[in-house]
Amino acid sequence: MTVKVKEKGLAIELPCESGSMPRNYPLEKIRNIGIIAHIDAGKTTVTERILFHTGRTYKIGQVDEGTTVMDWMDLEKQRGITIVSAATTCYWQDHRINIIDTPGHVDFTAEVERSLRVLDGGVVVFDAVSGVEAQSETVWRQANKYGVPRICFINKMDRTGANFERCIKMIRERLAAKPVAVQCPIGKEDTFAGVVDLVSNRAFFMTGEKDGRYEEGEIPAAERERVARYRQELIETLSEEDDHIMNSYLEGKEISVEQIKKAIRSVTLANKAIPVLCGSALKHKGVTLLLDAVVDYLPSPLDMPPVIAIDLHSGEGVVRPVSDEAPFSALAFKVVADPFIGRLVYLRVYSGRLKEGSQVYNATKQQRERIGRLVLMNANRYEELEEADAGAIIATMGLKNTFTGDTLCTMTQPILLESIKFPEPVISVAIEPKSRADQDKMGQALQKLAEEDPTFRVSYNNDTGQTVISGMGELHLDVIVSRMMSEYKVSAQVGNPRVAFKEALKRKVRVEGKFVRQSGGHGQYGHVWVEFEPLERNAGFVFEDKIKGGAIPRTYISAAGSGIKEATETGGLKGYPVVDVKATVVDGSYHDVDSSEMAYKMAGSIAFKEALAKSGTVVLEPVMKMEVVSPEGFMGDIIGDLNSRRGQIQGIDTTGDTVTIKALVPLAETFGYATTLRSITQGRATYALEFHEYQEVPESVMAQLK
């Protein structure tokens, strides 16, 4: 059988194994999983080996050589890192596995966020030497947020310094999880020879370093005591959650492999324990056993709770069962503006069927859309489909007004699914085209890149006449600019990074906003009394109506709220957006003839400016969580440098001769830190940054702000 695949506009005939055309696969035999981890833990290598062993690819891709399927962008090949999440589909033991390989760098955390929102299960990859790292904690929290069942794969067991027991301890302590080993390694570092499957109590010796073959045999005598201890822990953990295992264990009966597998699957789906496997993806060790675990322990769409949505007609919650016969519903979780094939929108189908050419309803935008071609993605290649079923992760062409987080559903039964929330950008740079010819091209390129990435923002500063782009970090913006130049052929100059400062009110105030204009004929009249008060950090903007007795009509009150909200975005006393504020309209008046929505919008804006003058503001700056890993001998120099950057040391962990320093550092003080760290540690230290929160800027620093 062959399947028509298109890459960069070219049609290619590729061989395809029988039965691998999209579905007929029953729902219980589908796995939607994500590969998530800290940067350099080996996610893409794991995914590449999975594709090879499932017959999806016939040549092994290497990250170092830039030949991987999943890291298909030129920038990913050049930098050796994953920048955008890539989707693919493979087949194992008569199951269809939809995989999303996600980035590990904190600047691209939105890619992980939107992937976990639509996935049923996750494989969390850890470096056997480093264990739980900074971004490991971030992706773990994201998985907890969406209740995603997961299994752990401790990778790179053949590296010097690999320590299986330490990794499990770190998962337990740093992630507050309940790891349970279902495998343990045979040997370690350069003597790593295979694994013992604690479920079947058999040893698997990995003999083929390029084909993943293994030989099943007896457990080596030197490992038996350790294996017995691990298996005892496995049975005891399962007996706490499973009555059948408990009874057999207490009565001293033999517990079958099927019973143990069923119990492991049960605790995994309930997020009561996390199965832990190990191997070395680069050497193909343990990858096929990982695939077995994905099939055995991770959920199918049927195992996940049915999706709960809001009925647009009644405003009440409705349940959409995971069924092909239910009304169609899907969530758009990713948009890609491909220069060769056009605009692709990635969808997770939660219920019903979707056919090519059908008309759907975008409940978020309240617009009709027509589905173009349906495709099953394999990184940047795709296979055309005629129909997508419940549980599928596919992409479609032709949707013009659908963006990340939008709900697609049937016209007759419109519902709204929970959208995806993304962090706010924390860093900005000014960007200017080098020539007049680049001006229009730059605008179009930035618009398309902003459609793809919800954490990337484009704005225009009227005061300076500059286009300002904002993102999650220096690497994020560097990649955006590089993509603009390479993919869209735009030449541009980039300014120095700037921090996205914000302002907040100091105290609660009550102010009047009045807008009156008389011009001989029909005039303008808007009048409100508003109470403004500061809120706790990250509370956002809250608007409340406490008008009594109909002093102002409802439509004018909402108009005043719009005017206040727009004014907060325009800027406070220092010109930065004002955040974490509550505005309550408590009184006012209106004119039968002259009042209008525009007048009350202006009155709301005037009231806000009065509140700024009366309350005063404090300036807030983004503070980052920093984790520095370094040889112990450089600890004093690193701490001294962090203190000079207004850093607050949160903790120091020592493992052997390596220290991990955790600190909170203002983003404004982190620019150029990579160069300084290399200089004071002879290039032997690494660091990771993650946004923590906005904090008030000290008085001593305020004077330096323009």
Side-chain angles (χ1 to χ4, degrees), residues 150-273:
R150 68 216 83 145
I151 58 179
C152 296
F153 182 71
I154 298 177
N155 191 26
K156 305 185 182 183
M157 284 300 303
D158 53 348
R159 276 187 63 196
T160 302
N163 191 321
F164 183 73
E165 287 82 2
R166 176 173 169 265
C167 287
I168 287 184
K169 183 181 178 185
M170 291 179 78
I171 292 170
R172 182 180 295 110
E173 293 176 354
R174 289 188 61 173
L175 303 178
K178 193 174 184 179
V180 53
V182 296
Q183 293 176 357
C184 67
I186 301 172
K188 64 178 182 178
E189 300 179 350
D190 57 349
T191 63
F192 176 62
V195 300
V196 174
D197 178 28
L198 299 172
V199 177
S200 62
N201 217 20
R202 299 286 291 171
F204 295 91
F205 299 94
M206 314 292 180
T207 54
E209 286 201 355
K210 290 193 176 178
D211 56 15
R213 284 180 299 178
Y214 55 79
E215 294 176 359
E216 190 174 343
E218 294 295 324
I219 301 169
E223 300 285 350
R224 285 176 188 166
E225 184 180 338
R226 190 165 67 105
V227 168
R229 175 168 53 84
Y230 272 119
R231 195 164 197 272
Q232 179 80 1
E233 289 176 7
L234 171 63
I235 300 299
E236 287 178 358
T237 301
L238 296 178
S239 66
E240 293 173 8
E241 307 292 342
D242 189 289
D243 291 340
H244 296 295
I245 299 284
M246 168 75 80
N247 293 334
S248 299
Y249 177 59
L250 293 176
E251 294 169 10
K253 293 180 181 177
E254 184 68 29
I255 304 172
S256 69
V257 171
E258 287 70 27
Q259 277 182 299
I260 296 175
K261 282 188 175 181
K262 185 179 178 182
I264 294 173
R265 181 176 178 80
S266 176
V267 298
T268 304
L269 298 187
N271 274 318
K272 292 180 178 177

Side-chain angles (χ1 to χ4, degrees), residues 22-23 96 324 328 347 349 351-356 374-376 385-395:
R23 159 135 137 211
R96 186 171 90 188
D324 295 340
F328 166 71
L347 302 175
V349 181
S351 61
R353 295 174 184 266
L354 182 64
K355 292 185 179 181
E356 183 179 345
L374 296 177
V375 292
L376 192 66
L385 304 173
E386 292 181 0
E387 187 177 66
D389 310 89
I393 291 179
I394 49 101

Side-chain angles (χ1 to χ4, degrees), residues 561-573:
S562 298
I564 294 169
K565 189 171 190 306
E566 286 181 18
T568 64
E569 294 164 356
T570 303
L573 298 177

Side-chain angles (χ1 to χ4, degrees), residues 93-162:
Q93 289 186 2
D94 200 30
H95 284 67
R96 186 171 90 188
I97 305 175
N98 299 317
I99 300 175
I100 296 182
D101 176 34
T102 64
H105 197 285
V106 67
D107 281 15
F108 310 111
T109 189
E111 293 285 340
V112 184
E113 184 83 18
R114 61 179 164 197
S115 299
L116 287 171
R117 169 65 180 83
V118 298
L119 291 169
D120 300 325
V123 176
V124 190
V125 182
F126 296 95
D127 184 321
V129 179
S130 304
V132 176
E133 300 174 85
Q135 187 66 0
S136 308
E137 296 182 41
T138 304
V139 299
W140 196 271
R141 282 198 307 272
Q142 289 171 309
N144 284 341
K145 175 181 173 182
Y146 294 111
V148 176
R150 68 216 83 145
I151 58 179
C152 296
F153 182 71
I154 298 177
N155 191 26
K156 305 185 182 183
M157 284 300 303
D158 53 348
R159 276 187 63 196
T160 302

Side-chain angles (χ1 to χ4, degrees), residues 18-31:
S18 178
S20 71
M21 289 294 286
R23 159 135 137 211
N24 301 322
Y25 276 85
L27 277 164
E28 62 269 17
K29 291 197 173 184
I30 291 178
R31 300 289 182 271

